[in-house]
Amino acid sequence: MKKNNVVRTLRKNLKRQVTRQLDFHRDRREFLSQMPADGGDFAMGPTFAILNEKDAASGTAQGHYFHQDIFVANRIFHAAPERHVDVGSRIDGFVAHVAAFRPVEVFDIRPLIANTHNIRFQQIDLAHDLPEHFVGCTDSLSCLHAIEHFGLGRYGDRIQYDGHCAGLRNLTRLLRTGGTLYLSTPIGPQRVEFNAHRVFSLNYLLEWLTPTYDIQSFSFVDDAGDFHPFQSLDDHAAVESNFGCHYGCGIFELTKKAL
């Protein structure tokens, strides 16, 4: 039965590819038939066949990165902090959103080979010792979909079983008292999927965060990629079940307490 299913899938994929090839050649013939006899304004260059986008969607307004990047960038825009530092978030997503309206400083263990307006970069490993001149350096800090990677070696960092703990401590040290931390990470049944990432239970995260931070808001992206802003963490059953997520994305807006 399994073999028959594989054969059917292969036949279906082959039929789809043949159909797309036929569509491409039909469209090309139609285009050539409309060209002026003298070639018009455009010479025909080499064939560059794109076959898989005729029936594709324009894009996907879903998922962890799509929602967290827009949401947190919008929060920073309205908060208008004196300084904003980001640790490890996606450059061509969240950091680019923020850089569109204000300067942002980026700390990352990976190099950034670019010179981009409004983005100032420092290569630094936040899973280890934080230089003293960075302690209390900013009133606004973000670390989006990054802390789960600390210590797993995926990005050239040293293997460190509790690398996320060291990272969280250094995020706290970077931030001034009363400053805001925007933190996102995968949520669900707690586990390590080596060497991709950790997934954190909400109870574990709350145990880590509540002694040091006041939680201003919690939002999440569910397993289907849909966004649920400003959820109550007073619902103990929802917290215990990680809001039904197996691999969701929890997004915290936190204020650092006076310690």
Side-chain angles (χ1 to χ4, degrees), residues 5-252:
N5 288 338
V6 171
V7 170
R8 279 196 292 270
T9 299
L10 288 172
R11 285 175 175 168
K12 184 178 179 180
N13 290 340
L14 179 60
K15 183 178 179 181
R16 184 184 297 116
Q17 287 301 109
V18 169
T19 299
R20 287 170 174 170
Q21 287 278 358
L22 292 172
D23 286 347
F24 168 77
H25 289 294
R26 184 196 64 233
D27 290 349
R28 187 173 186 275
R29 285 195 301 271
E30 175 63 24
F31 185 83
L32 290 171
S33 74
Q34 295 180 24
M35 285 184 69
D38 62 0
D41 296 329
F42 293 90
M44 286 295 288
T47 297
F48 186 7
I50 306 295
L51 303 178
N52 299 322
E53 297 184 0
K54 186 177 283 286
D55 55 359
S58 61
T60 304
Q62 277 187 313
H64 295 193
Y65 289 91
F66 178 83
H67 289 299
Q68 71 168 18
D69 292 355
I70 290 177
F71 176 72
V72 177
N74 185 60
R75 300 295 286 174
I76 293 167
F77 175 80
H78 288 289
E82 177 186 330
R83 181 180 187 182
H84 186 78
V85 173
D86 178 79
V87 175
S89 305
R90 187 168 172 166
I91 298 294
D92 62 348
F94 169 71
V95 172
H97 291 353
V98 176
F101 61 83
R102 63 162 296 131
V104 55
E105 297 170 58
V106 174
F107 297 170
D108 202 306
I109 191 172
R110 300 164 291 183
L112 176 62
I113 306 173
N115 183 14
T116 308
H117 176 67
N118 266 354
I119 299 175
R120 204 171 89 196
F121 177 77
Q122 299 217 37
Q123 190 169 4
I124 183 172
D125 183 357
L126 264 295
H128 295 279
D129 293 337
L130 181 71
E132 281 300 317
H133 63 276
F134 287 135
V135 174
C137 71
T138 185
D139 60 324
S140 183
L141 180 65
S142 55
C143 183
L144 304 186
H145 237 301
I147 199 70
E148 68 269 20
H149 303 302
F150 282 38
L152 298 184
R154 175 175 170 177
Y155 295 111
D157 50 324
R158 285 174 281 177
I159 298 298
Q160 186 178 358
Y161 178 79
D162 61 350
H164 64 290
C165 299
L168 287 166
R169 284 192 291 268
N170 278 331
L171 290 175
T172 299
R173 295 185 71 210
L174 279 166
L175 194 61
R176 298 173 195 162
T177 298
T180 302
L181 170 62
Y182 304 92
L183 179 73
S184 79
T185 195
I187 58 171
Q190 188 146 300
R191 61 197 187 272
V192 176
E193 296 180 348
F194 191 86
N195 67 349
H197 49 240
R198 298 174 184 83
V199 179
F200 299 98
S201 72
L202 276 174
N203 278 327
Y204 180 88
L205 289 171
L206 292 174
E207 187 176 319
W208 249 102
L209 297 173
T210 51
T212 311
Y213 296 96
D214 291 318
I215 299 174
Q216 301 304 323
S217 73
F218 170 75
S219 305
F220 74 96
V221 181
D222 65 23
D223 289 357
D226 295 323
F227 185 49
H228 304 266
F230 304 116
Q231 300 296 300
S232 172
L233 291 170
D234 293 331
D235 185 339
H236 298 298
V239 170
E240 189 67 33
S241 70
N242 303 298
F243 284 84
C245 294
H246 180 75
Y247 183 73
C249 179
I251 307 165
F252 293 88

